[in-house]
Amino acid sequence: MALYGSIYAGYGFGTLVTVVIAYGILDLIVNNRWFNIAYLIETPSPYFWASMGIGLCIGLSVIGAAWGILLTGVSIVGAAVKTPRIRTKNLISIIFCEVVAIYGLIVAIVFSSKLSNAIPVSGWSREALYAGYAMFWAGFTVGMANLACGICVGVVGSSCALADAADPQLFVKVLVIEIFGSIIGLFGLIVGLLMTGRVTPFK
């Protein structure tokens, strides 16, 4: 699993570097200037940053939930072949993983309600720019927290199923660890809401 993760990270980093270099070359040819990070940040509208934040929030949360369900589900199904009694009560680990996606969905709905249809007359106001940046980084923070939470709950849930198959008395003890791991996603949700607490509708 760690090997596959490093391979995927390598592909992702290589793709990111390629996109940045391609954008820099295109910017040099079209606008006669090299890559300007300030121009790249300030040029897109706040709607772009807000939509990116919402997309990252729900996307990373769903990936974390799916990854956790994958890790937990494989162990539950495999261990249940010889110990069928673990099937029912270990489904709580699947529920914990699914809650991670629900956290992201809730935050995405809250962020979407802050978007309003506005057409700037003489450029975007400072409040609109703040709203776009705040929603982007809040969505990224929530998404990464839920991604980490989903993986954490999945690994612990997998261990919980295997421990329960070996010794039924270990189920509750490992479940407590899993509960503490699932709170990480709740922390991300709270931080995301705090970051966007002062966001006003676009104007």
Side-chain angles (χ1 to χ4, degrees):
M1 185 63 69
L3 176 62
Y4 289 136
S6 62
I7 293 174
Y8 294 150
Y11 284 144
F13 181 74
T15 303
L16 178 63
V17 171
T18 303
V19 169
V20 170
I21 293 175
Y23 175 82
I25 294 173
L26 181 63
D27 199 22
L28 181 63
I29 294 173
V30 176
N31 299 319
N32 196 23
R33 64 165 180 264
W34 186 236
F35 184 74
N36 188 345
I37 187 66
Y39 179 81
L40 179 63
I41 293 175
E42 294 176 357
T43 301
S45 72
Y47 284 107
F48 169 80
W49 294 113
S51 300
M52 282 288 292
I54 294 172
L56 287 172
C57 176
I58 186 65
L60 292 175
S61 299
V62 170
I63 291 174
W67 202 336
I69 292 173
L70 169 67
L71 296 173
T72 305
V74 168
S75 296
I76 293 175
V77 172
V81 173
K82 287 194 173 182
T83 317
R85 61 176 174 76
I86 71 168
R87 288 177 300 181
T88 304
K89 60 181 178 179
N90 277 279
L91 289 179
I92 192 170
S93 300
I94 303 295
I95 296 173
F96 282 148
C97 293
E98 194 64 35
V99 168
V100 173
I102 296 175
Y103 287 158
L105 181 62
I106 292 172
V107 175
I109 292 173
V110 172
F111 288 178
S112 298
S113 66
K114 295 180 180 293
L115 294 178
S116 59
N117 188 12
I119 301 176
V121 178
S122 59
W124 293 101
S125 64
R126 289 182 299 175
E127 292 79 6
L129 293 173
Y130 169 77
Y133 297 146
M135 291 173 67
F136 171 78
W137 287 111
F140 181 74
T141 301
V142 173
M144 289 301 295
N146 286 334
L147 177 62
C149 177
I151 297 173
C152 173
V153 173
V155 172
V156 178
S158 174
S159 302
C160 183
L162 297 177
D164 185 29
D167 185 359
Q169 296 180 354
L170 294 176
F171 176 76
V172 176
K173 298 177 181 178
V174 181
L175 187 64
V176 172
I177 302 174
E178 190 173 358
I179 292 173
F180 281 111
S182 67
I183 296 176
I184 296 173
L186 185 60
F187 290 160
L189 184 146
I190 295 172
V191 170
L193 295 178
L194 288 176
M195 290 175 68
T196 57
R198 297 184 180 180
V199 168
T200 58
F202 290 179
K203 58 183 178 180

